[in-house]
Amino acid sequence: MKRKQYDPHPIASLMSVRCVLLLVCALISGALNAQGRYDRRGIWGEVGFEPGSVTNTALYKGLHHGEDTFASLYATVGLHLPRLDGLQVGVGVYRMAYSNPESLGLHGWHLELKYRPLSSLRGLQLSTRLSTLTDSFGRNSSNETFYPKFLGSLAVGWELPHLLGRVGIAPSLGYSYTSFGYRYPVGHADSSVYERSSSSQGAFFLRIAILFN
């Protein structure tokens, strides 16, 4: 009778999976414990980068169509409100550029509200921004002019403060909505005849923030 050979691979694979699960649990536990030790107070600052993808892929009338991407840079200064535990208020500036339409760029001021919904998960953050679009800028020579109307966003993320002294990071995922009007030359870029139109688009983004508190 032929004796079955012992195959160690299934047991080794199972042990590898258990090790990975234990490591993930240990990291999560450590992050939660760290969040309990750090209670952020007073004035805070944040700078960040937001790459994203727009959801409106329509060919805008009279505008050049590019890739469905955008990117934004911003800086915010805010205050923790101790009487409203978990609430933060901030104001900041931003600069945003779209690839669709390819000449759309915006910059202005924003008001930001952050909130910790769960005291047991102090790192979990919900945030919303309402922006004043003070101006627009173009990135080609097509003589297109934009008239900003509204920009707002919602995001959910996780704060990891004090990773290096008073410096931390806060990754988050969110959705923004932009409304704008525009004017474009009819026929060719140097035309003296213009038409007006308006549009709006949404975008999903990844926010990578550096915290100072």
Side-chain angles (χ1 to χ4, degrees):
M1 187 175 182
K2 202 171 192 180
R3 189 175 177 183
K4 287 186 178 180
Q5 293 185 350
Y6 174 68
D7 184 3
H9 294 291
I11 296 179
S13 299
L14 182 59
M15 291 180 64
S16 299
V17 171
R18 288 180 177 177
C19 289
V20 171
L21 291 175
L22 288 174
L23 179 60
V24 171
C25 291
L27 291 174
I28 294 175
S29 177
L32 295 180
N33 290 334
Q35 290 297 313
R37 290 196 299 269
Y38 297 126
D39 192 13
R40 300 174 65 208
R41 298 288 180 181
I43 298 175
W44 55 271
E46 179 177 316
V47 294
F49 173 62
E50 296 173 342
S53 176
V54 299
T55 59
N56 186 353
T57 59
L59 291 174
Y60 295 99
K61 182 180 179 181
L63 300 180
H64 289 80
H65 176 70
E67 297 179 358
D68 300 320
T69 60
F70 85 97
S72 174
L73 295 172
Y74 72 90
T76 307
V77 176
L79 184 67
H80 296 272
L81 302 179
R83 293 188 178 182
L84 300 173
D85 187 34
L87 182 63
Q88 307 171 36
V89 179
V91 292
V93 294
Y94 69 92
R95 187 174 179 90
M96 178 182 295
Y98 287 86
S99 293
N100 180 29
E102 66 178 14
S103 53
L104 176 59
L106 305 170
H107 53 101
W109 298 82
H110 64 253
L111 170 67
E112 182 170 15
L113 298 177
K114 291 185 176 185
Y115 182 66
R116 292 195 304 260
L118 300 173
S119 59
S120 58
L121 296 176
R122 299 186 70 84
L124 181 64
Q125 293 281 344
L126 304 178
S127 67
T128 182
R129 287 182 183 170
L130 296 177
S131 302
T132 299
L133 305 174
T134 58
D135 202 358
S136 63
F137 59 92
R139 291 180 291 130
N140 60 30
S141 58
S142 299
N143 290 332
E144 299 151 356
T145 305
F146 292 90
Y147 305 94
K149 294 181 179 181
F150 173 80
L151 172 62
S153 68
L154 295 171
V156 57
W158 191 270
E159 281 194 354
L160 294 169
H162 307 298
L163 292 181
L164 184 61
R166 292 181 175 272
V167 180
I169 61 172
S172 58
L173 295 173
Y175 182 81
S176 66
Y177 177 82
T178 307
S179 176
F180 57 92
Y182 60 93
R183 187 186 73 161
Y184 61 94
V186 178
H188 54 86
D190 297 326
S191 172
S192 59
V193 180
Y194 287 84
E195 286 192 12
R196 287 179 178 267
S197 188
S198 61
S199 189
S200 62
Q201 63 185 14
F204 291 99
F205 62 84
L206 168 66
R207 180 177 295 161
I208 305 170
I210 300 177
L211 306 173
F212 303 93
N213 189 207

